[in-house]
Amino acid sequence: MIETKTNDLTFSTLDKDAGLKAAIGTKPADVIGTISDSALKGRGGAGFPAGFKWKLAAEAESDEKFVICNADEGEPGTFKDRLLLSDFADLVFEGMTIGGFAIGAKSGILYLRAEYTYLLAHLEDVLAKRREENLLGENILGKGFDFDIRIQMGAGAYICGEESALIESLEGQRGEPRNRPPFPVEDGFKHKATIVNNVETLCWAAAVMSKGAKWFKSAGTEQSAGFKLLSISGDIANPGVYEIEFGTKISDILHMAGCECEKGTPCKVKAIQIGGASGICVPAKDIGRKIAFEDIATGGSIIVFGQDRDMLHVAKNFLEFFVEESCGQCTPCREGNVVLLDGVELLEEGKCSMKYLNELVSLGETMKVASKCGLGQTSARAFLSIVKHFKDEIMGREPISV
Amino acid sequence: MLLTEQEKMREEIRSLAEEYGKDHGSLIPILRAIQKKYYYISSVAMQEIANLLGIHPIEVYSVVTFYSFLSEEPQGKYIFRLCETISCDMLGKDQIARQLENDLGITFGETSDDGMFTLLYTSCLGMCDQGPAMMVNDCIYTKVTAEKVSEIIADCRKACCCCETTAKEVQ
Ligand SMILES: Cc1cc2nc3c(=O)[nH]c(=O)nc-3n(C[C@H](O)[C@H](O)[C@H](O)COP(=O)(O)O)c2cc1C
Ligand code: SF4
Ligand code: FES
């Protein structure tokens, strides 16, 4: 398995399948109650309350229901789900099984991104072992509950991480997001009630069932309960996966990953991108801000930029990503990202007027509200925050000679 | 393709459809299997899959062209996908890119004349803590250096690349 640096992870301390055993000893409604009491919110980025999502699906009228684990992990700078899939696969499947019990589903599907094909054999092994141990299959642990999990591979498309596009992909279609509502909890895979949860959310759900809602809720902040895994990369001494409590300051996170300023040297960090390409760029002066739904929310991607990084180059790289990954279904996103990228090229040549830059900013704001799905609604954010904080650096530049 | 080869492929598609089920939902798993075996999805293959699943060939085509790991054009036996996203970019992906072009003798987007190699860029591979990262078929290489590039290529030429299921870390 591919190794990465981590601090102490709660997941390493859990007893295997303690959460599942606790869950299926009670009623589905009690499981949903416990998850709701824990105030666990989705770890995939959007932060939707997990207990509420499960409750909606449990109450939905549907002759069949599905649990989908979103292992598409395509957000630039995110790799914590990779660690969970390789080192904590049992826990991921345990969380899915608990979800199935809670909503009344018999099947689960793990949607694995094509880039993680190397993990497939290992994941299949873990599934086979769980079937042998009667943790999957018929009459699980003798409690009369039937549930099994299969893995379906993606085929290379960032947009398939968006839950309705993921469902389209599972159904053999292009990964184009659906109109919402209806939401998957009512009308999901094969038009049946479906919960789609991030890999990490399912792991925390299992942890909550094992250690209790109180334990989870007592960590973090009022509005952001519990713990979060972060994927830290870029200009930092020890990149890797780190667990924090919500409410942790960016500066503390930097120290944790080996930022030198702790030792009295001046901080070499210029900016931090939080939330990946679809996140925001935070200048070093704001490292007192916190990771939490009420301050800076994130699916966990933290990319650190050192003093000598060119922020316009960063903005360009993200926009190239979105031009490539837009599904092309709606105009604000398909065209808007191209116009912003052209704008960045003008800036590179030192030929962009303040008037035109302001037009680009207003285009970016329009894309946020006019795009059909989360991709187009967030793709301008990095550009907008870089323009906001680094105008001096990006305006009237000396063109880079090629 | 010769007629007999076409027949063989049709047979293969039929058995894949049996295995995965003749259902629209089996489309991508079947396409992935054909891509892996034939290094692309020919129009003959698309037609056959469409027939078996009871959908229009255009639908199959539109799916093939949507996903970056499926191709309607013949690709090389070894597909190199270099991550071009920011964390790998900062760790020196440009140098790796140049070395790949030098050693493979093709530029990005091209396939070598002998049908051995295709060179592509890709978006973040989820290996940002260990970049520059690169995929060769299903296999992931991390912390790639210019020097390692030629070793990886030599491994492929010797056709002993471990590109099936295991990830390999290159220090
Ligand atoms: C463009 C786009 C890409 C996304 N990619 C992912 C992803 O890779 N993994 C993920 O869990 N959620 C992703 N999401 C969020 C999902 O749509 C969905 O909110 C999430 O899977 C729900 O799980 P959670 O409530 O457990 O977080 C993405 C959303 C958008 C708009
Ligand atoms: S916002 Fe972009 S990715 Fe989303 S539906 Fe529109 S074009 Fe597709
Ligand atoms: S940026 Fe290259 S693997 Fe994530």
Side-chain angles (χ1 to χ4, degrees):
Chain A
M1 293 298 124
I2 291 178
E3 302 289 338
T4 191
K5 286 223 169 49
T6 64
N7 56 353
D8 294 336
L9 301 182
T10 300
F11 295 145
S12 322
T13 67
L14 300 173
D15 290 333
K16 184 173 172 293
D17 292 300
L20 175 61
K21 284 171 191 156
I24 68 173
T26 60
K27 292 202 180 65
D30 299 332
V31 175
I32 291 173
T34 304
I35 300 295
S36 299
D37 289 346
S38 76
L40 168 63
K41 288 182 180 175
R43 275 6 185 193
F48 193 81
F52 189 52
K53 185 183 284 188
W54 291 15
K55 184 164 180 277
L56 291 172
E59 286 169 357
E61 286 199 23
S62 190
D63 53 357
E64 228 186 328
K65 294 182 184 181
F66 294 98
V67 176
I68 293 174
C69 173
N70 187 341
D72 197 53
E73 188 161 65
E75 188 62 53
T78 314
F79 45 87
K80 46 114 191 155
D81 294 343
R82 175 196 91 209
L83 175 85
L84 294 176
L85 295 162
S86 70
D87 291 4
F88 298 95
D90 263 306
L91 190 63
V92 177
F93 296 135
E94 181 187 349
M96 290 178 75
T97 313
I98 294 170
F101 178 73
I103 69 163
K106 287 193 166 43
S107 355
I109 305 167
L110 181 112
Y111 184 88
L112 184 66
R113 67 187 307 221
E115 291 82 350
Y116 290 174
T117 301
Y118 78 96
L119 287 169
L120 182 60
H122 164 65
L123 292 170
E124 293 285 8
D125 281 351
V126 175
L127 281 180
K129 219 176 266 139
R130 292 183 73 80
R131 284 185 199 109
E132 273 168 32
E133 293 167 19
N134 193 218
L135 296 163
L136 283 175
E138 281 173 18
N139 193 16
I140 292 173
L141 296 173
K143 302 282 187 188
F145 166 55
D146 303 342
F147 188 77
D148 212 336
I149 296 173
R150 70 180 172 89
I151 300 173
Q152 186 157 333
M153 300 302 302
Y158 164 70
I159 189 59
C160 289
E162 195 281 336
E163 57 185 17
S164 65
L166 186 157
I167 290 170
E168 287 288 306
S169 177
L170 281 178
E171 293 179 354
Q173 311 281 0
R174 295 161 70 92
E176 289 174 352
R178 295 176 176 174
N179 286 321
R180 291 145 36 104
F183 291 95
V185 284
E186 285 180 352
D187 182 350
F189 181 56
K190 296 185 172 167
H191 299 291
K192 310 286 182 189
T194 303
I195 52 170
V196 181
N197 276 121
N198 174 254
V199 174
E200 185 189 346
T201 311
L202 292 162
C203 289
W204 287 120
V208 165
M209 291 316 296
S210 163
K211 300 183 81 157
K214 255 209 199 112
W215 157 78
F216 192 76
K217 199 159 188 256
S218 66
T221 71
E222 188 73 29
Q223 289 162 65
S224 313
F227 313 88
K228 177 80 192 86
L229 295 187
L230 301 176
S231 315
I232 306 181
S233 68
D235 297 321
I236 191 94
N238 303 312
V241 175
Y242 292 84
E243 180 181 309
I244 58 155
E245 276 190 42
F246 270 121
T248 304
K249 284 193 210 146
I250 300 170
S251 54
D252 292 335
I253 292 165
L254 293 176
H255 289 156
M256 203 165 55
C259 181
E260 287 290 308
C261 52
E262 200 176 20
K263 296 174 191 153
T265 52
C267 187
K268 295 194 189 86
V269 174
K270 181 184 204 169
I272 307 102
Q273 180 74 17
I274 300 180
S278 63
I280 57 166
C281 189
V282 177
K285 69 175 171 52
D286 290 342
I287 53 173
R289 292 185 66 182
K290 294 173 175 147
I291 301 298
F293 292 108
E294 64 273 21
D295 192 353
I296 306 178
T298 170
S301 164
I302 308 267
I303 305 172
V304 184
F305 304 116
Q307 288 294 354
D308 52 352
R309 295 296 176 185
D310 174 356
M311 297 315 291
L312 192 59
H313 179 75
V314 172
K316 186 178 181 187
N317 189 280
F318 288 147
L319 284 167
E320 284 168 344
F321 170 80
F322 286 118
V323 167
E324 176 68 28
E325 300 293 343
S326 164
C327 86
Q329 211 186 155
C330 70
T331 323
C333 169
R334 185 185 59 237
E335 307 292 332
N337 286 310
V338 174
V339 174
L340 293 184
L341 179 57
D342 288 347
V344 166
E345 279 161 12
L346 272 187
L347 283 161
E348 271 187 333
E349 292 162 22
K351 285 184 184 158
C352 184
S353 67
M354 189 58 94
K355 180 163 174 286
Y356 189 61
L357 185 64
N358 287 335
E359 282 174 30
L360 292 175
V361 167
S362 107
L363 169 67
E365 295 295 345
T366 307
M367 288 162 62
K368 280 193 194 174
V369 291
S371 296
K372 179 170 170 176
C373 86
L375 189 150
Q377 288 158 10
T378 57
S379 62
R381 290 175 83 205
F383 170 77
L384 292 174
S385 52
I386 286 172
V387 168
K388 181 170 166 202
H389 295 295
F390 297 98
K391 264 205 194 76
D392 267 354
E393 180 182 325
I394 65 177
M395 299 295 292
R397 287 157 62 109
E398 190 105 15
I400 305 168
S401 51
V402 230
Chain B
M1 233 184 265
L2 293 172
L3 199 63
T4 48
E5 270 180 66
Q6 274 189 16
E7 228 1 271
K8 244 173 59 194
M9 184 179 68
R10 283 210 176 90
E11 190 48 51
E12 199 151 337
I13 292 172
R14 280 193 286 271
S15 74
L16 283 167
E18 288 303 324
E19 185 186 339
Y20 293 117
K22 288 181 186 168
D23 176 273
H24 206 315
S26 311
L27 179 57
I28 295 172
I30 293 175
L31 291 172
R32 275 180 55 101
I34 295 298
Q35 173 77 40
K36 186 168 182 159
K37 174 105 195 247
Y38 294 94
Y39 316 120
Y40 81 119
I41 296 153
S42 65
S43 52
V44 175
M46 289 191 226
Q47 181 73 54
E48 184 67 21
I49 294 167
N51 288 347
L52 285 168
L53 302 186
I55 55 183
H56 200 279
I58 291 293
E59 246 184 287
V60 180
Y61 177 80
S62 82
V63 166
V64 171
T65 50
F66 185 84
Y67 293 95
S68 60
F69 281 56
L70 302 175
S71 168
E72 79 278 25
E73 302 279 346
Q75 291 187 315
K77 199 169 162 194
Y78 295 97
I79 302 182
F80 283 61
R81 291 188 166 87
L82 179 66
C83 171
E84 62 175 338
T85 306
I86 193 73
S87 295
C88 290
D89 179 83
M90 294 197 289
L91 288 165
K93 73 111 189 4
D94 282 343
Q95 190 192 353
I96 307 302
R98 280 191 298 271
Q99 197 54 42
L100 280 165
E101 290 187 332
N102 292 343
D103 285 348
L104 293 174
I106 49 176
T107 58
F108 279 82
E110 289 183 342
T111 296
S112 62
D113 289 339
D114 60 3
M116 275 287 277
F117 300 107
T118 296
L119 183 55
L120 301 170
Y121 278 120
T122 193
S123 297
C124 177
L125 290 170
M127 299 288 158
C128 335
D129 51 337
Q130 302 168 47
M134 178 170 86
M135 281 185 95
V136 181
N137 295 352
D138 291 343
C139 182
I140 286 188
Y141 292 85
T142 58
K143 297 180 183 167
V144 178
T145 61
E147 197 186 343
K148 284 285 168 194
V149 164
S150 53
E151 286 176 27
I152 295 167
I153 294 170
D155 277 355
C156 296
R157 286 220 160 89
K158 272 188 261 154
C160 64
C161 183
C162 67
C163 288
E164 291 305 309
T165 48
T166 44
K168 192 165 153 186
E169 190 169 356
V170 180
Q171 290 299 341

